[in-house]
């Protein structure tokens, strides 16, 4: 008889997840089995539930790519991880290691990648499995709950700031102060940028201020484009982590000449991109997708050293459907991390 575990499962798009018993995953060569201590809830998991992206996950699916726990078992071929280590999974579950992208430090662009909690089962469960070569290694100085959001929200925003090309002292705008955005504000400050936080909820802006944002704008009441052009002459970089088209367009028009919009959120909409302004103002619009394993370890180190700290609340796995409802309404403060027992 197979050993069983508790998991939250998407059976059908837009239907509630089911908390049920499923078999504990069996390991293949190079994989490890991790007993979950904390599982962060990313908005991507909500996209997986709804199925609103062009590429849909195969169902049934266990979501979760911000899960942290203790290694309980290692398969043949595992060299760098041992039983008892504390690790986390990430969106980049695996990559081929041989293509032009993998070989040139751009493994998140690998055509042959798997994604935790999307193309393969993730960590909304008592146990998850992952190739040992792709885990984040967790320093002793942080709790599993605190580090969980760094595994996706942290590395993603850290990487987005890196690709923005902004330099210390530049003004950077963060659109959407949710799970990703509240960490973007902190990485941006740790990287010596000046930060303007934008959201449509005042409590998110209050959080951004507490986390070090230099200026805040409620774009439900104030035009953020005018605000940024008036206050700082436009920003060098905009990071768009709000799940709607409008903030992407505002983020573009908030740039100064030569500025860069880094697109990170994934609303199922297109934005209009003006050719004339893009050419004359030499603006850049780029996408940014999570981060490599190296980016991940760097992002974790910032948290390990206390330079960034996720604002979390811990709730049981059983709350997942209610957590998704609150995420859709935009009423979550920072990140919710689930306990699984
Ligand atoms: P979240 O729900 O925690 O945060 C979204 C925030 O946007 C909320 O604070 C909300 O108030 C705010 N918001 C909503 N409408 C807004 C508007 N019109 N203007 C300004 N702010 C607005 O979501 P999250 O977990 O931070 O994820 C954000 C997005 O990023 C999702 O689409 C997710 O799939 C995507 N994502 C992308 C990557 C990547 O690598 N590119 C990685 C992780 C997540
Ligand atoms: Zn590859
Ligand atoms: Zn994520």
């Amino acid at each position: 008889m197979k050993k069983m575990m508790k998991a939250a499962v998407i059976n059908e798009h837009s239907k509630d997840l089911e908390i049920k018993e499923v078999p504990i995953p069996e390991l293949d060569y190079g994989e490890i089995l991790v007993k979950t201590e904390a599982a962060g809830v990313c908005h991507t998991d909500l996209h997986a539930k709804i199925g609103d992206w062009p590429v849909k996950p195969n169902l049934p699916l266990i979501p979760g790519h911000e899960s942290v726990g203790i290694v309980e078992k290692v398969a043949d071929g595992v060299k760098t991880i041992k039983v008892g280590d504390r690790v986390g999974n990430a969106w980049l579950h695996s990559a081929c290691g041989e293509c032009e992208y993998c070989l040139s430090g751009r493994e998140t662009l690998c055509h042959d990648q798997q994604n935790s909690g999307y193309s393969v089962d993730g960590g909304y469960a008592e146990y998850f499995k992952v190739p040992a070569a792709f885990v984040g290694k967790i320093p002793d100085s942080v709790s599993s709950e605190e580090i969980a959001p760094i595994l996706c929200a942290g590395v993603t925003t850290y990487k987005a700031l890196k690709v923005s090309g902004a330099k210390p002292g530049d003004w950077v705008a963060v659109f959407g102060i949710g799970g990703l955005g509240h960490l973007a504000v902190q990485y941006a400050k740790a990287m010596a940028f000046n930060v303007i936080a934008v959201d449509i909820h005042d409590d998110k802006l209050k959080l951004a201020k507490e986390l070090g944002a230099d200026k805040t704008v409620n774009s439900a009441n104030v035009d953020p484009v005018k605000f940024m052009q008036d206050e700082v002459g436009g920003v060098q970089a905009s990071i768009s982590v709000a799940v709607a088209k409008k903030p992407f367009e505002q983020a573009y028009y908030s740039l100064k000449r030569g500025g860069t919009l880094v697109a990170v959120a994934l609303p199922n909409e297109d934005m209009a991109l003006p050719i004339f302004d893009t050419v004359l103002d030499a603006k850049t619009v780029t996408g940014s997708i999570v981060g490599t394993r190296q980016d991940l370890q760097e992002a974790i180190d910032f948290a390990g050293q206390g330079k960034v700290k996720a604002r979390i609340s811990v709730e049981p796995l059983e709350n997942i459907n209610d957590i998704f409802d609150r995420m859709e309404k935009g009423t979550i403060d920072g990140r919710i991390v689930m306990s699984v027992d």
Side-chain angles (χ1 to χ4, degrees):
M1 246 229 347
K2 282 190 170 165
K3 283 202 176 144
M4 305 295 277
M5 65 174 184
K6 184 165 70 177
V9 180
I10 304 173
N11 292 314
E12 217 181 314
H13 289 307
S14 293
K15 294 274 160 64
D16 275 358
L17 276 69
E18 184 186 3
I19 307 288
K20 61 188 281 201
E21 291 286 313
V22 300
I24 293 177
E26 280 171 23
L27 300 186
D28 292 320
Y29 186 85
E31 290 182 335
I32 58 175
L33 184 71
V34 183
K35 185 159 194 330
T36 310
E37 291 190 335
V41 180
C42 179
H43 203 115
T44 292
D45 304 329
L46 177 55
H47 290 294
K49 174 198 153 176
I50 298 169
D52 64 344
W53 284 353
V55 180
K56 302 201 190 312
N58 289 326
L59 303 183
L61 173 76
I62 301 172
H65 54 273
E66 284 186 354
S67 287
V68 175
I70 305 291
V71 178
E72 192 154 302
K73 211 165 152 192
V74 305
D76 288 347
V78 173
K79 297 192 186 82
T80 52
I81 301 287
K82 56 183 188 321
V83 169
D85 285 354
R86 197 155 57 112
V87 300
N89 71 354
W91 176 252
L92 188 67
H93 183 86
S94 64
C96 82
E98 292 173 10
C99 70
E100 68 168 293
Y101 298 110
C102 285
L103 293 177
S104 57
R106 295 177 293 163
E107 61 191 11
T108 58
L109 305 184
C110 177
H111 282 288
D112 225 353
Q113 67 184 279
Q114 296 291 342
N115 300 117
S116 304
Y118 206 86
S119 68
V120 295
D121 281 339
Y124 280 14
E126 272 178 275
Y127 293 90
F128 61 92
K129 72 167 187 172
V130 63
F134 283 83
V135 292
K137 294 169 192 152
I138 312 302
D140 292 338
S141 54
V142 279
S143 70
S144 297
E145 291 79 7
E146 243 176 74
I147 202 73
I150 304 299
L151 274 296
C152 176
V155 62
T156 298
T157 50
Y158 170 60
K159 176 71 165 196
L161 288 160
K162 275 208 221 178
V163 307
S164 79
K167 306 263 186 317
D170 282 341
W171 282 95
V172 170
V174 178
F175 282 77
I177 309 300
L180 267 62
H182 92 289
L183 286 165
V185 168
Q186 297 180 60
Y187 279 104
K189 289 310 293 179
M191 293 159 92
F193 305 143
N194 296 312
V195 180
I196 304 180
V198 186
D199 205 291
I200 50 176
H201 299 285
D202 278 334
D203 49 340
K204 309 283 174 112
L205 299 171
K206 187 167 163 278
L207 174 62
K209 261 268 178 264
E210 284 167 31
L211 299 174
D214 299 280
K215 295 174 189 284
T216 61
V217 194
N218 186 328
S219 54
N221 313 321
V222 174
D223 176 8
V225 175
K226 185 169 183 324
F227 180 90
M228 290 190 216
Q229 298 298 348
D230 289 353
E231 295 261 327
V232 301
V235 292
Q236 179 59 41
S238 286
I239 312 294
S240 188
V241 283
V243 196
K245 159 184 168 175
K246 196 168 170 197
F248 275 77
E249 295 178 342
Q250 291 167 333
Y252 174 89
Y253 286 107
S254 298
L255 296 174
K256 67 197 283 191
R257 290 186 168 185
T260 298
L261 163 61
V262 186
V264 175
L266 288 150
N268 186 15
E269 291 174 291
D270 293 331
M271 71 180 283
L273 188 66
I275 296 171
F276 189 84
D277 289 0
T278 305
V279 174
L280 271 282
D281 295 349
K283 288 178 176 174
T284 301
V285 177
T286 183
S288 186
I289 176 72
V290 291
T292 63
R293 285 171 277 174
Q294 179 62 30
D295 296 318
L296 177 61
Q297 218 51 55
E298 290 171 18
I300 289 173
D301 287 347
F302 272 78
Q305 293 164 16
K307 290 177 183 153
V308 305
K309 194 171 163 50
R311 173 70 62 98
I312 53 162
S313 36
V314 181
E315 299 190 23
L317 183 75
E318 283 73 10
N319 282 15
I320 184 59
N321 292 306
D322 188 60
I323 295 169
F324 277 156
D325 285 348
R326 281 176 272 151
M327 186 172 264
E328 262 180 321
K329 291 190 192 109
T331 57
I332 291 172
D333 196 33
R335 200 49 134 199
I336 292 180
V337 174
M338 300 186 296
S339 58
V340 186
D341 34 43

